[in-house]
Amino acid sequence: NVGPPAAAYAIEPVTGRRFEDYVEENWFKPLGMKTASYFDTPDVESRLTKLYRSDGKTPFPYWHILLRPAGSINASAADMANYVQFYLNRGAYGGVELLPPAAIERMETSTTTYGAREGLKTGYGLSNYSTVRARIFHGHNGGVSGGLTELAYLPDDGVGFVFMINSGSQQAFTQIDRLIRSYLTETLPKPAVLPVVPGPAKLAGEYAGWYEPITPRPELIRSFSRLGGLTKLSVLPNGLSLRLLNGRSLDYVAVTDRLFRRPTGEAAPTIALIADKSEGTLVEGGGLTFRRIPSWMAWLEITFTVVAGLLILGSVAFALVWVPRKLLGRMRTVECLSVRAMPVLA
């Protein structure tokens, strides 16, 4: 479910035709994508592979995504390889320019986030995001229940890949992805490493402290994301240190006084200290925006979470006492047992 170029959305005014029909006629055919289709027709269904759960054995029913054009494109591996060529050729396929190179560059560039305004070149563009390692890959991934896919390419090196697996195994997906990226870059010249500059000591008091994420991708789990994403930021002589709630610590070295990268040779900065304070003291990185909160608030949230967890476990421990007593007939005078039972069932 890797969507069509986002720039296609603004090509033609409303004409009464379905958007999907327009894309199939004006994008799939010129790209040589003969099998690609949005629709769950008998012809498409006859070519679909079976989907499986993460064990690779238990079948999973096909899930036809309703949120077109964000997903639901069914296509062969060969068709998707043509789509990779389209990006590598900077908007052209088979010698025909479908989009100007500037449109592809715009799709690959994040422009509206606080981090982009600070100079971060990585992030989510127009249906196209960057993955920063020793090099900057661009592309998009996708997934349905029982199927995972990845499309990525290196525009400056002219190589890319796409693969799909008919399994929900995230572990297998990650291993395949890592192997392919290693193979593609094995013979490429080593990229230049960004120089390290002195850390922003003058900003230590301004940005050091506790942060919580304020831009979760699914709104449904905002509260869990906020608690699980609590992070303590410390300003070091040559960069930053982020200590996560699970105890893991991530260090970053300074590229400028506001942009930072991992010390293991990331090709671009991935963390930004935001100068704009209109929404508080912000840090952006990893596709999320974090806002600084008072230390007492962070510890209060941590404490209440721990207490809530203990109370949940306490209801189970308490049941080890009253359930046997109930079975032995020693709670005949006790009323409202459902008040005790519901927490245990929950």
Side-chain angles (χ1 to χ4, degrees), residues 246-271:
N246 61 8
R248 185 184 177 194
S249 183
L250 302 175
D251 291 336
Y252 292 81
V253 293
V255 176
T256 70
D257 61 341
R258 291 189 178 274
L259 299 179
F260 305 82
R261 65 168 175 85
R262 295 297 303 278
T264 52
E266 281 186 340
T270 53
I271 293 284

Side-chain angles (χ1 to χ4, degrees), residues 1 19-20 38-40 62-74 143-144:
N1 63 339
F19 176 82
E20 295 88 341
Y38 279 110
F39 303 106
D40 190 15
Y62 171 65
W63 176 28
H64 189 69
I65 301 174
L66 295 177
L67 302 177
R68 303 191 300 264
S72 193
I73 297 177
N74 300 290
V144 295

